[in-house]
Amino acid sequence: MAPGMFFAVEKANENNKPVILDPVGCGATKLRTSTARQLAELADNLIIRGNASEIIAMAGEKSQNKGVDALDASEAALSAARSLVENYACSVVVSGETDYIVTKERTLALSNGHEMMPYVTGMGCSLSAVTGAFAAIGETSGVAAAAIFAIAGEMAAEQSQGPGSLQVNLLDSLYQLTPDDIESRLQLRKC
């Protein structure tokens, strides 16, 4: 699998395309951690999107994780995120109770989302996919993707009885999201 990932990053570089790196399970094994770092080193235009424990581990700090699940709070990953921005000239999106978007120019805190979202398997992977969609049209900080996804998660939770219905309702909320929804709900601040 790793040779294919390296090939994909090389082709992205050749074609001036952004790379979205979701370091799933970084810190859980040495192989995952070293592969994530190698991919980041190779990418020319990079956005790293991970949970707090993955971001902390990728930066070489001691993280608390249980497999692919984060045990660290998102704010605990801020110094690690800043280190990754410096080392790889990238943007970093740390997902958690509060999402943090760290770029060379600024650090933003996003307080949208819902407490039920971590109970849906693949939620972080879905955010990485949305991040890729926004990067494909030129928004490479990760801010728009994180905001849209979190707001859609809030809206979905309002009509969900549990994680199963949240997953389905999130897709509908993403589809139905309007500019007015974003404007009325966005909770974004500079740190």
Side-chain angles (χ1 to χ4, degrees), residues 83-155:
S83 174
L84 293 174
V85 168
E86 181 70 28
N87 290 340
Y88 301 116
C90 64
S91 297
V92 177
V93 178
V94 183
S95 56
E97 185 175 337
T98 299
D99 295 333
Y100 290 95
I101 301 92
V102 182
T103 67
K104 185 177 180 181
E105 295 81 26
R106 63 188 175 185
T107 298
L108 300 171
L110 177 68
S111 299
N112 294 97
H114 191 271
E115 62 191 21
M116 202 175 0
M117 291 174 77
Y119 296 106
V120 177
T121 299
M123 193 65 68
C125 297
S126 297
L127 174 54
S128 293
V130 172
T131 303
F134 274 95
I137 60 169
E139 202 295 292
T140 57
S141 70
V143 174
I148 295 295
F149 199 78
I151 290 169
E154 277 180 8
M155 293 171 63

Side-chain angles (χ1 to χ4, degrees), residues 6 8 10 12 24 36 38 49 129 133-135 146 158 160 171:
F6 289 107
E10 289 170 5
V24 177
Q38 291 171 35
R49 204 289 322 147
F134 274 95
E158 291 169 1
S160 300
L171 294 174

